[in-house]
Amino acid sequence: MLEPTTVYTPSSKRYDAMTYNHAGDSGLQLPAISLGFWHNFGDTTPYDAMRRIVFTAFDNGITHFDLANNYGPEPGSAEKNCGRLLREYFRHHRDELVISTKAGYEMWQGPYGDLGSRKYLLASLDQSLERLGLDYVDIFYHHRMDPSTPLEETMGALATAVDSGKALYVGLSNYDGPTLEKASAILAEMHVPFVINQNRYNIFDRTVERNGLKETANRLGKGLITFSPLAQGLLTNRYLDGIPADSRIAHDGRFLHADVLTDARLQQIRDLNDIARRRGQTLAEMALAWLLHDGKVTSVLVGASRPQQLLDDIGALRDTTFSDEELRRIDEISLR
């Protein structure tokens, strides 16, 4: 077993500044800001950088670490690196953490490593637990809808994950409102603790408003945790004057391409930044606060490449109240 390279003593005040929200009608509480392992916990990131990020997160009340089987690069590496961090520094704090993972996108080649079959989901969960070095995860998600597999089969696999003790709760990711409602009814009949949905949502991307997911989750008493809250960096001050040489657009085209930064989009960003400045916030702070303003979003998943980014994101919690005029103006700008 690897020995810790740094003795880690968490801050005794780690819960003081964080807000915690119930995941829908469940008893599970999540921090308003959660840490996503999507981008910066693969094998291309130095381990010491990952360590400093998770220390900063936990020291500031971020108790939820969110993963998936295919997070990397390479697929599986984020879980493997998270497992090392948990083993070396958090073994005495496991019960203070919510660890979630997912399966649903391609993890290995062939017919059994993708989508929503019982065989894939339960095999993937076993592999995830091995990489994480855990007996169970707190939340196990189906990562995306799969019209090629009966919904009853996929939900039955989630039920088995809970019944086997390998997951405490289950969640659905990237579902729409109608499919969520059908899945929820199946899970309720099996008495499965389905508590949360995970979907992309930000000022520029209102898909969960259009496809009924947000309204349905709220009506059914299910939580909603959102990813890409800053639109891959567009809702920050990074692009106010164009594309910086060290930006994600410039050096990593996997998730954000230069052609999205049109003159019209750039003007939207500048107009939104003007509202944020009048509120006494950065654009990123306002974008995070906007997601939390109506109480229907349980938690916002953020990524970080350095600790200061997390501290900046937590700063959004100082003001999540918006006037009707501010909300109207944000909609007017972002939806035009």
Side-chain angles (χ1 to χ4, degrees), residues 151 155 172 175 177-192 194 197 216 220-222:
L151 196 58
M155 297 307 106
L172 302 175
Y175 274 54
T179 312
L180 158 63
E181 187 142 22
K182 294 175 185 176
S184 182
I186 296 169
L187 292 168
E189 187 174 349
M190 292 187 289
H191 303 287
V192 178
F194 162 43
N197 300 273
T216 302
L220 295 177
K222 308 302 179 184

Side-chain angles (χ1 to χ4, degrees), residues 12-313:
S12 61
K13 298 181 178 179
R14 56 187 175 276
Y15 301 118
D16 291 356
M18 181 54 64
T19 299
Y20 297 89
N21 300 316
H22 283 273
D25 294 338
S26 77
L28 180 65
Q29 296 182 63
L30 297 179
I33 302 292
S34 295
L35 179 61
F37 277 57
W38 183 19
H39 284 309
N40 298 309
F41 288 83
D43 288 338
T44 57
T45 301
Y47 183 68
D48 185 62
M50 293 185 261
R51 180 180 59 80
R52 288 185 288 110
I53 290 168
V54 296
F55 284 9
T56 301
F58 193 59
D59 279 347
N60 288 276
I62 296 178
T63 54
H64 178 208
F65 298 165
D66 179 76
L67 301 104
N69 57 356
N70 63 341
Y71 286 179
E74 296 290 322
S77 60
E79 288 181 328
K80 183 173 58 181
N81 288 323
C82 182
R84 180 181 172 187
L85 290 161
L86 294 173
R87 182 176 69 250
E88 293 184 359
Y89 303 110
F90 291 91
R91 67 179 71 188
H92 300 300
H93 302 282
R94 173 64 183 96
D95 293 333
E96 297 178 71
L97 290 169
V98 171
I99 307 296
S100 60
T101 196
K102 315 174 194 72
Y105 284 97
E106 183 179 13
M107 183 58 187
W108 61 87
Q109 292 185 337
Y112 312 122
D114 197 359
L115 298 170
S117 72
R118 179 178 182 86
K119 180 171 177 62
Y120 167 51
L121 293 182
L122 295 178
S124 181
L125 177 56
D126 284 342
Q127 292 176 20
S128 290
L129 291 173
E130 183 174 356
R131 285 189 291 267
L132 289 165
L134 298 175
D135 296 324
Y136 70 94
V137 290
D138 297 275
I139 305 171
F140 181 50
Y141 289 90
H142 184 221
H143 207 164
R144 60 167 167 168
M145 297 185 293
D146 174 17
S148 68
T149 300
L151 196 58
E152 291 80 4
E153 177 179 342
T154 301
M155 297 307 106
L158 296 181
T160 298
V162 172
D163 291 343
S164 66
K166 295 176 182 179
L168 300 185
Y169 304 90
V170 302
L172 302 175
S173 183
N174 298 306
Y175 274 54
D176 60 25
T179 312
L180 158 63
E181 187 142 22
K182 294 175 185 176
S184 182
I186 296 169
L187 292 168
E189 187 174 349
M190 292 187 289
H191 303 287
V192 178
F194 162 43
V195 299
I196 196 145
N197 300 273
Q198 185 173 139
N199 292 75
R200 184 188 306 271
Y201 189 26
N202 58 61
I203 288 174
F204 286 146
D205 189 338
R206 309 293 187 92
T207 301
V208 297
E209 297 175 5
R210 295 193 302 270
N211 69 12
L213 186 283
K214 184 179 180 182
E215 183 279 328
T216 302
N218 184 64
R219 175 168 50 82
L220 295 177
K222 308 302 179 184
L224 174 59
I225 184 169
T226 62
F227 62 90
S228 295
L230 303 180
Q232 299 296 323
L234 291 180
L235 289 166
T236 71
N237 62 8
R238 292 281 283 159
Y239 300 103
L240 290 174
D241 299 312
I243 302 176
D246 62 345
S247 66
R248 181 172 290 168
I249 287 181
H251 71 82
D252 185 353
R254 289 178 300 161
F255 307 108
L256 190 63
H257 301 280
D259 57 7
V260 305
L261 199 64
T262 62
D263 289 343
R265 179 65 89 195
L266 186 56
Q267 189 58 53
Q268 288 176 309
I269 294 169
R270 289 169 175 163
D271 290 345
L272 290 168
N273 187 63
D274 288 341
I275 298 175
R277 188 173 61 249
R278 289 194 293 271
R279 286 173 51 83
Q281 293 179 313
T282 65
L283 177 54
E285 286 175 338
M286 185 183 78
L288 296 174
W290 178 86
L291 285 165
L292 294 163
H293 82 273
D294 63 3
K296 295 180 180 179
V297 170
T298 306
S299 183
V300 178
L301 276 166
V302 299
S305 59
R306 60 186 188 279
Q308 187 59 48
Q309 286 179 309
L310 280 179
L311 298 177
D312 293 343
D313 290 340

